[in-house]
Amino acid sequence: MSSWRRCVSILFLVLASAGLAPPAQAVASHRVVSIAQARTLPPGTVVTVDGVATTPSGAFESSFFDKGFGLQDRGAGIYVSVAVDLGIAPRNRVRVTGTLRDSSGLLILVPGDPAAVVVHGNGAAVRPRLLATGAVGENSEGQLVRVIATITRAPTPDLPYGTKFVVDDGSGELTIFVNTRTAIDLTGLTAGRAVSVTGFSSQFDTHYEIDPRFPADVTACPSRKGMS
């Protein structure tokens, strides 16, 4: 992984917090739009979306360099990038007004102020979409997804960001990126082992990946010898 792209993301967040980022293309009002509609708009557009959080605040801090969270409605999902820990937890219903930005290929929503992130109760837990490894891409970006596949490349440290491994169910290889803060134990996961992986459908540079949130998001499937 090239660290300079991560540094670019940090620089942008610093500039944005200091009010030095390029001016946003504000929309006429802050009426709520669907996340799917927001995702069709160009970077720099200000939008208001409402959905259910799918990841806890700061779960991906070691590689995203912020304390943001995933947000999803019935049709799509997006990553909300904030510099402070707002204590967002999965199932929180959250309304956010922010500016659409590109972060190393990943579309993110950046609020101008923490007050633009409003928690208003809880919703039903978002169920992950079961996808083939080759189907994780632009159409699933921002959503909670799940794959069941075989490890083709064993876990390798990518410090200080986290650890990555590669899986494939026969439809194409997919990177799984485990951020340091999640404290997910990958002991025993070797090439050839079948696993179930749930997480945030993300993108870094030119490749797509899944970012698990909790230890329960990465589980080894029983071997055939152990199955009755």
Side-chain angles (χ1 to χ4, degrees):
M1 179 181 297
S2 57
S3 61
W4 72 269
R5 288 187 179 271
R6 301 284 183 183
C7 293
V8 169
S9 297
I10 297 175
L11 178 60
F12 178 83
L13 289 173
V14 171
L15 291 175
S17 64
L20 298 177
Q25 300 172 3
V27 295
S29 68
H30 291 316
R31 67 179 179 85
V32 176
V33 300
S34 69
I35 296 177
Q37 181 179 349
R39 294 188 64 88
T40 67
L41 301 173
T45 304
V46 176
V47 296
T48 298
V49 297
D50 194 283
V52 176
T54 56
T55 77
S57 291
F60 308 145
E61 185 175 7
S62 62
S63 65
F64 282 40
F65 304 103
D66 64 13
K67 299 181 184 295
F69 57 94
L71 187 69
Q72 188 169 330
D73 61 16
R74 291 185 178 183
I78 198 166
Y79 186 79
V80 180
S81 177
V82 290
V84 297
D85 188 345
L86 299 178
I88 303 297
R91 291 192 58 196
N92 283 167
R93 290 206 61 87
V94 190
R95 180 168 296 182
V96 183
T97 298
T99 304
L100 296 169
R101 304 289 187 195
D102 178 272
S103 176
S104 297
L106 177 68
L107 182 67
I108 63 174
L109 184 61
V110 184
D113 187 280
V117 179
V118 179
V119 178
H120 56 101
N122 287 324
V126 175
R127 293 186 177 184
R129 289 177 60 191
L130 181 60
L131 295 176
T133 54
V136 176
E138 196 65 33
N139 289 335
S140 67
E141 185 181 289
Q143 298 179 39
L144 191 65
V145 299
R146 181 187 180 210
V147 297
I148 300 173
T150 300
I151 298 174
T152 55
R153 280 182 267 176
T156 303
D158 189 12
L159 301 176
Y161 314 112
T163 301
K164 60 184 177 182
F165 62 98
V166 177
V167 299
D168 192 349
D169 61 5
S171 63
E173 287 194 324
L174 174 68
T175 297
I176 309 299
F177 192 86
V178 179
N179 284 266
T180 303
R181 186 174 173 183
T182 61
I184 297 173
D185 185 5
L186 302 178
T187 303
L189 295 188
T190 57
R193 190 70 189 266
V195 291
S196 171
V197 180
T198 298
F200 181 78
S201 180
S202 188
Q203 180 179 359
F204 176 68
D205 201 4
T206 59
H207 73 266
Y208 295 96
E209 62 187 36
I210 292 178
D211 298 342
R213 311 155 297 165
F214 310 111
D217 282 343
V218 180
T219 58
C221 299
S223 65
R224 291 186 179 276
K225 292 182 179 180
M227 297 174 65
S228 58

